[in-house]
Amino acid sequence: NHTRISEFILVGFKSHPGSQLLLSVLFSTMYIVTVVGNVCMILLIRMDSNLHTPMYFFLENLSTLDICYSSVITPRAALAFLLGRRSISYNGCASQMFFFSLFGTTEAFFLAAMAYDRFTAICNPLLYPVIMSRRLCVLMVVGSYLSGCINCTIQTGFTFSLSFCGRREINHFFCDVAAVIHTSCSDTLVNELVMLAVCGSIIVGTALVVFISYGYIIITIIQMPSAESRHKAFSTCSSHMVTICLFFGTVFFMYAQPGATSSPNKSNTISIFYTVVIPMLNPFIYTLRNREVKGSLKRQLKR
């Protein structure tokens, strides 16, 4: 029978009491940097007409998504580390899981859409304005969010249909799907299979789009006649490639392999990268490794 409990206890990193203040300061600092960096990126793109292109349309939406993504996890975790209040209500846990799954899935589709955008720009430059129309860009963003909605509805619905027989401790610093499943007293085989099938198909599917796109991009760049052309083409893709490696590497380890729910201690540390670190790093990656963004930043500072 399904047992409804009133709250869960998040016990991730609880075994290191001396580091709680340090963790709180670290999470708070990274969250502030995430918000400031992504807001600056959004404002920079909106203020500079030279950046009103499909590539920066996706980047602006990615920055907005990263703020939302980090906001679901980081502030509450920092407060819990500081005050020691690790309880989270049943509905609060379900809500956190829902929005975390929504924004995390959407980011995977965003990165795939951005890879297709770079493929079109480099491999079909003459047709680029026609193919990557404003309508298609908006449809890709809306489709990414719809895909996120489908996944988070499935994951949250299946997870909270389980029974929790008084075992309320979640060995994580937020309500991740795998960690909550691990606390249930029900048979979780179906849930683990669903998580593996749905998350695996999303991660593998979006990663395939990325790899195929960049396969064609690399071939096209190699065939370019001048070193300057090759360098210019590569510079527009390098920042996106760094983000892809960081995001898909950690997410694949967490959700797209069998036994993802069996090592919660290891997942705590890895989860910090895709929930806290990557949203913070994205604005710096796209600023420091992109000449157009650096040029726009210089123009705005001069003004």
Side-chain angles (χ1 to χ4, degrees), residues 100-146:
F100 163 72
S101 299
L102 168 63
F103 297 132
T105 305
T106 303
E107 180 142 349
F109 280 94
F110 267 17
L111 293 175
M114 293 171 75
Y116 177 76
D117 170 72
R118 291 299 82 206
F119 158 75
T120 308
I122 292 173
C123 300
N124 298 290
L126 297 179
L127 295 176
Y128 179 68
V130 177
I131 296 174
M132 296 305 296
S133 63
R134 180 75 177 183
R135 181 174 178 272
L136 178 61
C137 292
V138 171
L139 286 174
M140 291 173 84
V141 169
V142 172
S144 297
Y145 275 103
L146 286 176

Side-chain angles (χ1 to χ4, degrees), residues 233-253:
F234 183 76
S235 67
T236 65
C237 301
S238 57
S239 55
H240 187 236
M241 291 172 69
V242 172
T243 303
I244 284 169
C245 291
L246 288 171
F247 182 83
F248 281 102
T250 53
V251 170
F252 181 86
F253 182 87

